[in-house]
Amino acid sequence: MTYLLGSHHVTLSVGKAQEDVDFHTKVLGMRFIKKTVLYDGSIPIYHLYYSNAHGDPSAVVTTFPWAQQGRFGTRGTNQAREVMLAVPADSLDFWAKRLSSMQIDHQQSELFGERRLEFHHPCGLEYVLVGVHGDPRVGHPGHGVPPEHAVHGIYGMGIHVYDQDRMVDFAKDVFFFDGEISEAGDVARFKVGSDDYGNWVQLRGNRTDDQGTWRFAAGTYHHFAWNFDTLENQEASKFQIEGAGYTDISELKDRTYFKSHYVRTPGGALFELAVTHADGGWDCDESPEELGRKFMLPPQFEHEREHIMSQLEPLRVDD
């Protein structure tokens, strides 16, 4: 039985909070569904969530804006790099025109028989829109993006690695890959999990760049979360990973909306093993219609609400 279904969400360390909100909502048209804080450490940092129309697992991008703290990172090898989002196959011309109208530099390309559009987040993170056929996930038509062109959700992740074989071995040994690997030049890719969409892992050989930043730091990709079906199977997978010698893996962490372990892969990318919380996902503390309207804090931080809010930069989310 495949316990890993597919992707759950992707989490990025970005620059300024307002430019991040404007990029994901006003440029990409995604739905703003959650405003909370980073649960780790003692520094108040926003944790912002964006999604397609329904907030599906495999369709959520989350961000930590670190510019306010003056913490910046370096993109390099042995690091997750490309934020890859799926859009309808016939929408790439729409997106090219839209980015041009907003003075956002971009370039079109083709890889593995799929058209792509490459551009950058304001903090420098590399984004790729990939045109796909038959994706059932419903995009969010926000800020001038019509439903027929809206972002379906995550396509997969792009990792730059010094040694592709070590990452493939990890996937085969413990991370539910038993299919075929496709290659195009210095890029290889494969699917992980049982879902039909949102779960591509793309490996780009990179022996030129220096080691990329792994800690929280603006302008870098922090982790990619995978969607597991139950807590029992998640725990069994954790023991399987540890038993194979990949022991850089965390204890279980409760993130309110999901519970997770984190493991550092031999390709440098940080993987999260996530299970949506039994009491509900994104709408466990807000109604589905009002997602993202309030500043949500976990119970352990609620008594510090005023102090936390006073240290965060002002943030405006336009409908």
Side-chain angles (χ1 to χ4, degrees), residues 165-184:
D165 290 342
R166 292 179 63 200
M167 195 65 190
V168 172
D169 289 344
F170 172 82
K172 288 181 175 179
D173 290 346
V174 297
F175 220 74
F176 306 98
F177 166 61
D178 59 1
E180 296 183 358
I181 298 175
S182 302
E183 297 185 39

Side-chain angles (χ1 to χ4, degrees), residues 176-197:
F176 306 98
F177 166 61
D178 59 1
E180 296 183 358
I181 298 175
S182 302
E183 297 185 39
D186 61 352
V187 180
R189 75 168 184 174
F190 54 86
K191 273 189 172 183
V192 172
S194 59
D195 283 352
D196 293 329
Y197 47 81

Side-chain angles (χ1 to χ4, degrees), residues 52 56 58 86-88 130 132-139 151-155 196-198:
N52 66 358
D56 301 318
S58 81
V87 297
V130 184
V132 300
H133 294 278
D135 193 322
R137 297 172 294 177
V138 180
V151 175
H152 289 303
I154 296 167
Y155 174 86
D196 293 329
Y197 47 81

Side-chain angles (χ1 to χ4, degrees), residues 26-46:
K26 295 182 179 181
V27 175
L28 296 182
M30 299 182 76
R31 184 183 180 192
F32 186 85
I33 62 168
K34 192 67 62 180
K35 177 171 62 175
T36 181
V37 292
L38 171 64
Y39 286 16
D40 299 323
S42 59
I43 302 174
I45 295 293
Y46 279 124

Side-chain angles (χ1 to χ4, degrees), residues 244-316:
Y246 300 102
T247 56
D248 188 2
I249 190 166
S250 76
E251 72 278 8
L252 188 66
K253 295 179 181 290
D254 190 339
R255 303 311 197 186
T256 302
Y257 313 107
F258 44 89
K259 293 184 177 181
S260 301
H261 294 286
Y262 299 82
V263 58
R264 182 69 66 182
T265 70
L270 184 65
F271 281 2
E272 177 178 353
L273 287 58
V275 175
T276 298
H277 206 288
D279 296 330
W282 321 122
D283 57 357
C284 69
D285 53 5
E286 296 179 277
S287 70
E289 298 76 22
E290 295 179 325
L291 289 177
R293 300 292 178 85
K294 298 178 181 179
F295 182 42
M296 308 307 300
L297 287 174
Q300 67 266 30
F301 292 163
E302 190 59 52
H303 68 286
E304 297 185 76
R305 174 175 286 267
E306 291 188 10
H307 173 68
I308 290 172
M309 292 186 69
S310 71
Q311 296 187 67
L312 295 169
E313 58 193 289
L315 192 62
R316 184 188 69 258

